[in-house]
Structures are given as structure tokens and as C-alpha cells.
Amino acid sequence: MFFTALQWKSLISTALLVADQIEHYIGIMSGTSMDAIDAVLVRFNTDNTLDTIHTHSQSFPDSLRQNLIELIQPSWTGSLSDIASLNAELGSIYGETVNQLLRDCDIAKDDITAIGNHGQTIWHQPEHEHAYSWQLGDANRISEASGITTVADFRNRDIAASGEGAPLVPAFHEAVFAHPKETRVIVNIGGIANISLLSPDKDVIGFDTGPGNGLMDAWCLKHLGKAYDENGKWAAQGSIIPELLTQMLADPYFARSFPKSTGKELFNLAWLAPFLSPEMAAEDVQATLLELTARSIVESVKAATDEITTMYVCGGGFKNKQLMARLQALLGDTKLDLTTSLGVDAEWVEAVAFAWLARQTILGLPGNLPSATGAKGFRVLGAIYPA
């Protein structure tokens, strides 16, 4: 089923599709930061609104997280058997996460229409001769463990239609956060950062700006043994290294026109290594990595528009006070806020988005935006694994 841009605008003109009854969906997200599995129960109401009913966050087992981190390194020397095993293990853990969510909020599985699971991205290669995006997390096991229909593998239909397969959240952002008079920018800062530019009278612009938390987390783990730099305190102790920042910003990705998408297969410590020299202090490198994230986000926004009134942040990066401070400094008079003020908690936007995307799939409606992914048309996304 294909949709024109005009038909798509009509479908989301009231923010959400009208349903004749209240529906419940679950969204699961484990992003490129690999800090936790987030699951959220979402209620879709008959008055074109949605509500977050309950949330649950479950940490990755240390061994699983370490295996996943190693898997996406260029130096990885594992086997196909290792990947298959991780796929099964992740699927089982996603299923456990759903069941814990249901126990916590005391809702029956029969009251849930479907689960939307993004899966754990291990490699994203939209520019390959045979383009693909690979997420682990066996949806068969999620459906089997929970007894709930599961929708997964959202990205590859868009790629089959000549798109980047990412970012997918701009469609959700437009449906839920767009304003009839204001131009808004939604910035999701996970391991990779992406933006959605929502204009009242123009097609949505959405793309990955580059590294979000991912490089900072990897550098922090290497030097402090910690998964992340809490509140950016370590980065705040360092000083920006101008020549390092200049070299990193010279990467061709930043100059590419959008639509575009990327991941840790590009922005990792192996990418960083050639830019470093022995005299660089670790905290100074961390400060520079934080500046790279802030600068690449703001410069991407300014290249796309000069009309924004407010930038709304979501994703784990909003917890980094130093990063938020640098974003505001670079934005100048433009207001910086969180999506929480628009009705969806900044911590849970992506998980809610995949509940919404699952609903689009179940209803036979498109989940991508060609203006964001570059696909040759609107497409119904995902594969359905029945209960």
C-alpha cells in the first residue's frame, strides 16, 4: 500500500489516527548506547491522544553488553554462531522485559494489541552495494515468551525502497510534536544523535547528525571503567582541544547532504584513534568529544533551517548537564527544552515511538517519511510475528 505526501499529511493532520476503541501497545528500545532495555506501555485513545501508562527499564547483563560492544568493533573476530547466539539471548531478554512490565502494571497480555521492538543494531550500512541494517533480538522469542503479537525489523523495508532505513522516529515526531504555527526541532541524543525538523508548511527533514553519547561513553569506559560520564562531570574538568575538534569535524559524513544516517560502525574508538596524540589528556579528549556532539547537532540544525523557535531534546543525552549547557551556548537565543514539556517524557520518546510504529504496521499504514530516509515512497514497515 503506497501513500502520497498529501495523503500522509491528511492521515496525521490530527496528530494520531482515530480509533474506535482504546488500544494498548508496548514499545521496546535498546539504543546504540547499550545502557538498558526500555519498555513502555502506551494507550492510544479515541480522542487522538496517547498516554504513557507504565515504563520499565532493564539493564543488560554485563556479559551480554560486553559481547555486543565487542561485536561492533572492526577488530571483532567472532563467528556466525556467536551472532546467532546473541540474537537468541537478546530475544529472550526482550521477552522477559515485556513480562516484567506487564507484572508491574497488572495488565493482561490479551489487552495488548502488539509489541514494537526496534532490536539492537549491530551494523547499519545503507550505502553498501547491497544495503542493509542489522538488528538483533529474535522476535519469535519475544512473541513466544509474552504471548503477544510482535512487530520487528522496521528498517529494511525502507532500505529496500532505496531509503537509509533511518532515522524512523521523524514520522512519530511529526504525528505527536508538530505545531500548526511553530517550527520545532526534536533532537534525540542516544549513542548516535538525530534530528527532526518540523515545519508547519514544509516536508519534515530528519537525519542522523553524527555521534551522540556513543564516543563519549566508549572513551569514558576505556579510561575510567565507567559506562558513561555522569552529568558530563569528567568532560567539564577538561578543555576543548581545537585541532582535535577540527580534525573530527572534517570527516566527510558531516558535510554530506541529507537524508543520511550513520552508526557505531563509523563513529567508534577506531575512528578516533588516528586523531589522537600522546600529549592529549584524557579529560581534554572527553571535553572535545562532548563539543563534537554539541557542535555537530547545532550546525546541522542551522544548516537545515533558520526558522526554529525551540529545540526539544530527548534520549539519554538530556541527562548530561554539560552537554545541555553547551547546546544552549551554541544555540544562543533559541530556546532549549525537553520533549517532556510536549507531553512525552524525554527518557521514553524512542520506546513510545516504536509502540506507535508497531501500531502503524498493524493498521497497514506507513511508518517511514521519505523526506527523512530518502526512500522512494511511503512504506508499511516491519515484519509481524503473531502471538
Side-chain angles (χ1 to χ4, degrees):
M1 185 181 297
F2 303 119
F3 295 81
T4 67
L6 184 61
Q7 288 171 322
W8 170 253
K9 286 284 188 183
S10 176
L11 285 172
I12 66 166
S13 60
T14 54
L16 295 169
L17 296 163
V18 178
D20 57 5
Q21 61 183 6
I22 292 174
E23 300 172 296
H24 294 91
Y25 283 77
I26 290 172
I28 308 174
M29 184 68 197
S30 57
T32 47
S33 290
M34 298 186 193
D35 50 354
I37 299 167
D38 292 335
V40 58
L41 173 63
V42 182
R43 181 175 65 213
F44 292 87
N45 304 308
T46 58
D47 63 351
N48 302 318
T49 61
L50 61 78
D51 295 303
T52 300
I53 302 303
H54 198 78
T55 63
H56 174 65
S57 187
Q58 184 164 318
S59 298
F60 279 108
D62 290 341
S63 59
L64 175 60
R65 185 174 189 271
Q66 186 58 40
N67 286 335
L68 288 169
I69 290 173
E70 292 174 359
L71 175 59
I72 62 175
Q73 301 306 312
S75 58
W76 184 72
T77 57
S79 67
L80 289 175
S81 176
D82 295 329
I83 297 174
S85 178
L86 286 171
N87 184 52
E89 184 180 0
L90 267 170
S92 296
I93 290 175
Y94 288 142
E96 293 170 8
T97 302
V98 168
N99 288 337
Q100 186 60 55
L101 174 74
L102 295 178
R103 287 192 292 269
D104 290 346
C105 59
D106 193 26
I107 188 169
K109 66 180 183 180
D110 292 341
D111 293 330
I112 311 298
T113 302
I115 298 164
N117 179 50
H118 173 269
Q120 187 63 51
T121 299
I122 59 168
W123 214 256
H124 180 72
Q125 205 76 61
E127 292 192 311
H128 192 275
E129 179 184 2
H130 304 290
Y132 64 90
S133 188
W134 195 358
Q135 287 76 38
L136 297 187
D138 185 0
N140 294 288
R141 292 172 182 265
I142 301 171
S143 180
E144 189 67 25
S146 64
I148 301 170
T149 294
T150 300
V151 186
D153 189 19
F154 287 94
R155 299 195 181 277
N156 280 298
R157 181 58 191 274
D158 184 86
I159 290 176
S162 302
E164 293 271 331
L168 294 181
V169 290
F172 170 74
H173 291 164
E174 183 179 28
V176 178
F177 297 137
H179 190 277
K181 296 182 179 179
E182 294 181 2
T183 297
R184 296 172 169 175
V185 172
I186 311 298
V187 181
N188 176 69
I189 309 176
I192 298 295
N194 60 71
I195 65 171
S196 298
L197 174 58
L198 311 176
S199 173
D201 55 2
K202 298 177 183 176
D203 286 342
V204 174
I205 294 173
F207 58 93
D208 290 345
T209 61
N213 305 314
L215 278 172
M216 291 186 285
D217 290 349
W219 189 252
C220 188
L221 183 64
K222 178 178 180 179
H223 289 273
L224 299 185
K226 297 179 179 179
Y228 61 94
D229 179 12
E230 185 177 2
N231 287 324
K233 292 178 181 177
W234 189 41
Q237 295 171 14
S239 299
I240 296 168
I241 305 170
E243 62 272 23
L244 173 59
L245 181 62
T246 299
Q247 286 178 305
M248 291 191 295
L249 285 171
D251 186 280
Y253 181 81
F254 297 113
R256 271 182 54 193
S257 58
F258 48 82
K260 60 181 180 178
S261 59
T262 189
K264 286 186 174 180
E265 66 282 342
L266 173 59
F267 292 111
N268 52 48
L269 293 185
W271 173 85
L272 175 63
F275 305 129
L276 302 178
S277 57
E279 68 272 11
M280 293 178 180
E283 63 271 22
D284 292 344
V285 173
Q286 184 75 355
T288 311
L289 291 175
L290 185 145
E291 186 70 8
L292 173 67
T293 294
R295 190 77 63 90
S296 57
I297 289 171
V298 173
E299 290 183 358
S300 294
V301 170
K302 289 182 176 179
T305 182
D306 57 4
E307 300 175 354
I308 67 168
T309 54
T310 306
M311 177 187 285
Y312 296 91
V313 178
C314 58
F318 85 88
K319 298 178 182 178
N320 187 321
K321 293 181 179 178
Q322 180 70 4
L323 177 58
M324 292 293 286
R326 287 304 303 147
L327 286 171
Q328 184 63 80
L330 292 168
L331 284 170
D333 294 333
T334 299
K335 182 181 178 182
L336 185 67
D337 202 348
L338 302 180
T339 58
T340 306
S341 67
L342 299 178
V344 183
D345 191 306
E347 189 164 358
W348 300 98
V349 169
E350 279 201 296
V352 174
F354 278 89
W356 183 87
L357 284 164
R359 184 170 183 262
Q360 293 292 104
T361 304
I362 296 296
L363 294 175
L365 294 168
N368 68 334
L369 280 180
S371 60
T373 67
K376 58 187 177 183
F378 293 92
R379 296 291 187 270
V380 179
L381 306 178
I384 299 173
Y385 298 75

